[in-house]
Amino acid sequence: MKRTLIILLFLIYFFNSNSESSESSEVWSNFKEYFKEYTIKKGDTLSKIAPSSQWEIIEKINRMDRKHLIIPGKKILIPINEEALNFSPVPKRIDSNYERVIYFFLDLQYFGAYERGELILWGPISSGKRNSTPKGKFYVQWKSKNYFSKKYKARMPYAVNFFKGYFFHEQSLPGYPASHGCIRLLHEDAKKIFDWIQKGDVIIIK
């Protein structure tokens, strides 16, 4: 409980001081109206914890794929009601002249994809451990739907290269930074972004 409270206080502080949208700050200040803490019990499944309409938001808000979610003793956040489905931990609007841009918020481990300044998709990430993911402004160089990393001998589906050997792509999400430097995404998010993003589009990592 203490760890969750610390996270919530940090999120509120972050958006109050850094958000480009006062709307997002307001949402975080009302966080407890949307989510509550739940401790996974032995024998639990997502279907026992919540209706199927809430499964996606549970994965996203906890920044974990399903394999890492359902572990006895683990504390996770679950929706209080269906209004949580409209919740966003990132600004819903930004001041941007770009047709398409993706923001990766490393401190929060979330991303926001924007089209002409309007949020069209958000989701969780797992960036590089030990701060190994570069920060700054980058551009999409190329992408590959079925990329295979010879260096790490691993599949990297829906890979999008933005700087040297760095990509964002589908991979497991344990709820914390765990990669060698790339940015991991959930399967559905990776697929949607891959189809949407174009060569030359702006990527901002902060």
Side-chain angles (χ1 to χ4, degrees), residues 10-197:
F10 169 75
L11 291 172
I12 293 169
Y13 167 79
F14 179 87
F15 279 105
N16 281 337
S17 59
N18 296 293
S19 175
E20 296 176 70
S21 167
S22 60
E23 180 180 354
S24 189
S25 297
E26 182 180 348
V27 169
W28 273 116
S29 67
N30 297 321
F31 186 88
K32 289 184 179 179
E33 295 180 13
Y34 298 90
F35 300 95
K36 64 181 179 181
E37 188 179 68
Y38 178 83
T39 302
I40 301 296
K41 301 177 181 63
K42 186 177 180 180
D44 268 347
T45 62
L46 268 180
S47 60
K48 288 183 178 180
I49 295 170
S52 58
S53 61
Q54 296 180 358
W55 293 355
E56 182 179 11
I57 192 69
I58 289 175
E59 283 186 287
K60 288 192 171 193
I61 201 64
N62 288 285
R63 300 168 300 187
M64 300 178 199
D65 54 35
R66 295 187 188 183
K67 183 180 79 171
H68 292 91
L69 266 175
I70 310 301
I71 299 175
K74 182 185 288 289
K75 296 181 185 298
I76 66 171
L77 298 172
I78 62 173
I80 293 174
N81 50 48
E82 292 297 308
E83 291 182 13
L85 302 183
N86 298 317
F87 179 81
S88 171
V90 301
K92 290 189 176 181
R93 284 177 287 277
I94 60 171
D95 184 13
S96 173
N97 295 320
Y98 303 119
E99 182 175 354
R100 289 173 300 273
V101 60
I102 299 179
Y103 278 76
F104 290 102
F105 303 95
L106 299 188
D107 286 343
L108 297 177
Q109 294 291 284
Y110 293 113
F111 77 85
Y114 298 87
E115 198 165 89
R116 291 180 288 277
E118 298 290 328
L119 181 70
I120 64 166
L121 180 68
W122 72 268
I125 66 172
S126 176
S127 58
K129 49 191 173 184
R130 295 184 291 276
N131 299 313
S132 55
T133 299
K135 294 182 179 181
K137 181 179 179 179
F138 307 96
Y139 299 88
V140 173
Q141 303 300 310
W142 53 273
K143 56 184 184 175
S144 173
K145 184 177 180 180
N146 298 299
Y147 185 69
F148 183 85
S149 172
K150 294 180 180 178
K151 181 178 180 179
Y152 298 111
K153 296 180 175 58
R155 292 179 62 250
M156 293 165 49
Y158 304 107
V160 179
N161 176 259
F162 61 89
F163 176 66
K164 295 183 178 179
Y166 294 92
F167 301 77
F168 48 90
H169 58 86
E170 176 192 344
Q171 190 54 272
S172 63
L173 266 70
Y176 53 84
S179 79
H180 293 286
C182 288
I183 297 175
R184 300 178 180 182
L185 303 169
L186 291 172
H187 169 75
E188 287 300 321
D189 291 340
K191 184 177 185 301
K192 289 175 182 177
I193 288 179
F194 184 88
D195 293 337
W196 172 75
I197 203 76

